Amino acid sequence: MNSEVSEPIHICFFPFMAQGHMIPTLDMAKLFSSRGAKSTIITTPINSKILEKQTEAFNNQNPDLEIGIKIFDFPCVELGLPEGCENVDFINSYQKPDAGDLSLKFLFSTKYMKQQLESFIETSKPSCLVADMFFPWATQSAEKFGVPRLVFHGTSFFSLCCSYNMRIHKPHKKVATRSTPFVITGLPGDIVMTSQQANVSNDETPRGKFMKEVRESESISFGVLVNSFYEVESTYADFYRDFVAKRAWHIGPLSLCNVDLAEKAGRGKIANVDEKECLKWLESKATGSVVYVSFGSGTSFTNEQLLEIAAGLEGSGQNFIWVVRKNENQGENEEWLPEGFEERTKGKGLIIRGWAPQVLILDHKAVGGFVTHCGWNSVMEGIAAGLPMVTWPMGAEQFYNEKLLTKVLKTGVNVGATELVKRGKLISREEVEKAVREVIVGEEAEERRKRAKKLGEMAKAAVEEGGSSYNDLNKFMEEVNGRK
Ligand code: UDP
């Protein structure tokens, strides 16, 4: 345990209820605890079950340290939500006719926890509250009791800078069509986008109004914690600090706080593959020869798109691990798999139906590329593992993250996705095949691999003692400690 902090500070984490937010939050809690803080994660009953196993494992392994869980009541039915609707996973798999805009309703319902948060802060008086961006009301709740509120967005400095400049300069308003390219004005690096890729919210819609509240609450918060490291996006980290947020601390890659096999394999849900079998399979493959294909915690494709991915992977001739998640409507049948696919690709391909131990796989030396939807956790995990990536963004801020990989870091190959997924075109088997080959085979692939490997080394150095993220975490803790 680090002894730089004389008295333990108590940090409360309040993650949005989605895997992509809860996973890095648990990593943050582990990181802060292992640096001498006391951590408490606030969540709802169903989500506490997801976190319990890993927090218990951490507490057992580290008897001097503690991560606690505080459970808040979240009565779905009373709130007008379907029973059990406590996280975004539920929403993603809810295909019933009354689904409506369930995600928006869910987002607004979280305010129900405000009262509970205030009583908790009043009684436990934490040193600070790290609340997700999606809880804009948390800044004032914390302020009432003199507790500083930190914001966690779970994304890159780069995408935060893109959104900022899009909002300020509105370059998308100056082009003729949604597919006309424009340069993001004000942003270093001449980054080219189209309107159909940029996720700009309209301030007049309910979601837009909500996002405005998010920004306002951030502007009066204590600052922002970012799952990134300085070296990977220094220009944008500087830009963010100079123009966007008053204060930000980079403390990532957070996934690197998971060291042993069980920790790496246990993130998120229970995996649908035996991790030892998975490692055995990887052991049988040559270094850098396997492509890992996964689209985050929520994305599911149509049968038509899954068929194209399957054919593209087979056509590429590369080894692969493919994580397939289907929605409820697709049921148990496997019409999405070409006939005889698994026999033909036996030994070359492994399909994981459901949840994969992603970080465990990415960190294996047999893996040489990552086909990703560009969710920021996945991107950071891929970068930390030193991997080149095939980028297949679909929504949220993923097109921005793609540009960071393909245009700034030059470790990514675009599969050909051109617009947000609701309107998104089908990506053909030829496109999948081409991008997968491009990332593994040939001279350019070698150059890309070298760049990615170097970034992976920088990522690891950043969290080591004296590294940029290590130091920024220290600075942050000292500042919070100084307020006590
Ligand atoms: N993840 C995993 N196994 C899976 C799918 C996802 O462990 O089968 C983890 C992944 O490692 C990452 C998170 O879930 O930490 C997904 O976050 P990301 O930001 O990449 O995407 P999101 O799910 O938020 O779209």
Side-chain angles (χ1 to χ4, degrees):
M1 195 175 101
N2 192 296
S3 58
E4 280 139 7
V5 178
S6 50
E7 262 184 63
I9 59 173
H10 180 198
I11 309 196
C12 280
F13 297 93
F14 192 13
F16 185 60
M17 299 99 95
Q19 290 290 353
H21 295 242
M22 282 165 42
I23 292 174
T25 300
L26 179 56
D27 286 346
M28 261 194 292
K30 285 162 93 168
L31 180 65
F32 277 103
S33 289
S34 62
R35 297 281 285 275
K38 178 181 169 212
S39 302
T40 303
I41 304 176
I42 301 167
T43 195
T44 68
I46 292 180
N47 293 300
S48 75
K49 293 272 168 253
I50 301 173
L51 296 170
E52 230 166 44
K53 197 166 160 240
Q54 293 157 79
T55 47
E56 262 172 36
F58 179 87
N59 292 342
N60 289 340
Q61 259 186 8
N62 304 279
D64 312 342
L65 310 178
E66 191 198 339
I67 299 177
I69 299 182
K70 172 73 189 168
I71 302 174
F72 281 0
D73 188 29
F74 193 67
C76 299
V77 179
E78 266 175 51
L79 290 166
L81 298 167
E83 173 114 47
C85 183
E86 286 188 25
N87 58 41
V88 171
D89 259 2
F90 180 99
I91 295 166
N92 288 333
S93 64
Y94 193 74
Q95 300 289 323
K96 306 223 164 59
D98 65 333
D101 200 349
L102 190 54
S103 70
L104 203 57
K105 201 165 178 186
F106 178 70
L107 197 61
F108 295 156
S109 299
T110 60
K111 200 170 179 179
Y112 172 81
M113 293 184 283
K114 187 167 187 262
Q115 196 57 50
Q116 296 174 83
L117 180 68
E118 292 182 6
S119 331
F120 178 66
I121 294 178
E122 188 172 16
T123 47
S124 66
K125 297 244 162 34
S127 319
C128 68
L129 172 74
V130 180
D132 205 281
M133 63 179 276
F134 288 129
F135 304 137
W137 38 271
T139 303
Q140 276 168 346
S141 292
E143 202 177 57
K144 262 192 194 171
F145 306 99
V147 170
R149 184 261 170 124
L150 275 298
V151 180
F152 182 64
H153 299 94
T155 190
S156 52
F157 282 114
F158 181 80
S159 81
L160 291 168
C161 293
C162 289
S163 308
Y164 169 81
N165 284 296
M166 291 292 295
R167 247 184 358 259
I168 299 294
H169 303 290
K170 303 191 179 13
H172 56 297
K173 300 263 187 199
K174 296 170 194 151
V175 287
T177 72
R178 288 180 52 76
S179 56
T180 313
F182 56 81
V183 171
I184 303 184
T185 326
L187 184 78
D190 291 337
I191 301 300
V192 178
M193 292 289 289
T194 66
S195 279
Q196 58 196 7
Q197 298 174 335
N199 208 358
V200 190
S201 56
N202 174 348
D203 277 355
E204 301 314 312
T205 62
R207 193 179 289 272
K209 284 187 184 136
F210 180 79
M211 291 314 290
K212 204 161 164 244
E213 271 180 54
V214 167
R215 290 194 295 278
E216 284 163 4
S217 91
E218 181 181 321
S219 70
I220 53 165
S221 74
F222 190 71
V224 176
L225 293 183
V226 187
N227 177 16
S228 188
F229 58 104
Y230 186 70
E231 293 77 2
V232 74
E233 43 173 356
S234 53
T235 305
Y236 303 98
D238 291 343
F239 185 99
Y240 188 71
R241 289 182 172 111
D242 289 345
F243 301 106
V244 189
K246 285 173 299 185
R247 284 173 328 161
W249 295 267
H250 53 268
I251 57 170
L254 292 170
S255 62
L256 286 175
C257 73
N258 299 287
V259 179
D260 65 30
L261 189 149
E263 276 183 306
K264 287 185 186 181
R267 293 170 87 237
K269 299 194 214 174
I270 297 173
N272 295 91
V273 65
D274 180 82
E275 65 247 21
K276 298 221 172 59
E277 285 299 311
C278 187
L279 286 179
K280 206 167 131 201
W281 189 90
L282 284 165
E283 287 301 326
S284 71
K285 302 288 172 273
T287 303
S289 72
V290 178
V291 181
Y292 172 71
V293 186
S294 174
F295 302 93
S297 63
T299 312
S300 55
F301 287 111
T302 58
N303 284 348
E304 198 187 5
Q305 182 63 78
L306 289 170
L307 272 166
E308 292 305 301
I309 298 176
L313 287 174
E314 187 176 358
S316 77
Q318 307 305 312
N319 295 322
F320 63 86
I321 294 183
W322 178 23
V323 189
V324 182
R325 201 170 354 272
K326 297 171 297 160
N327 64 43
E328 261 185 10
N329 284 351
Q330 283 160 306
E332 284 309 303
N333 76 55
E334 300 224 316
E335 281 160 11
W336 51 273
L337 207 54
E339 221 179 306
F341 180 83
E342 281 182 287
E343 290 86 76
R344 286 196 305 280
T345 56
K346 201 166 186 192
K348 259 191 143 8
L350 178 67
I351 297 182
I352 300 177
R353 292 163 172 80
W355 193 259
Q358 178 157 311
V359 166
L360 187 77
I361 294 172
L362 291 177
D363 283 355
H364 196 280
K365 65 179 188 328
V367 176
F370 179 11
V371 181
T372 173
H373 72 311
C374 301
W376 183 244
N377 295 297
S378 293
V379 171
M380 256 296 108
E381 290 158 17
I383 288 175
L387 292 173
M389 293 176 234
V390 170
T391 57
W392 186 331
M394 288 170 218
E397 85 302 1
Q398 295 153 13
F399 278 93
Y400 295 141
N401 294 336
E402 169 183 70
K403 303 289 175 196
L404 176 69
L405 289 173
T406 56
K407 303 295 179 203
V408 180
L409 303 174
K410 299 188 168 54
T411 55
V413 174
N414 180 338
V415 78
T418 51
E419 48 194 324
L420 298 172
V421 83
K422 274 188 198 141
R423 298 183 210 95
K425 68 169 175 104
L426 189 77
I427 300 291
S428 70
R429 59 192 63 197
E430 290 79 16
E431 286 173 296
V432 174
E433 182 180 326
K434 181 169 173 283
V436 165
R437 265 193 223 272
E438 221 173 305
V439 98
I440 298 282
V441 191
E443 244 174 67
E444 275 188 44
E446 190 49 39
E447 290 306 308
R448 214 176 280 115
R449 202 167 9 254
K450 276 191 204 151
R451 285 192 289 274
K453 193 163 174 255
K454 211 163 157 208
L455 282 175
E457 285 158 10
M458 289 180 189
K460 290 180 188 93
V463 296
E464 293 289 317
E465 192 165 348
S468 59
S469 291
Y470 183 97
N471 288 345
D472 232 24
L473 181 70
N474 267 1
K475 268 197 234 158
F476 171 71
M477 286 178 78
E478 275 162 20
E479 225 171 297
V480 171
N481 210 27
R483 293 186 86 259
K484 281 197 310 191

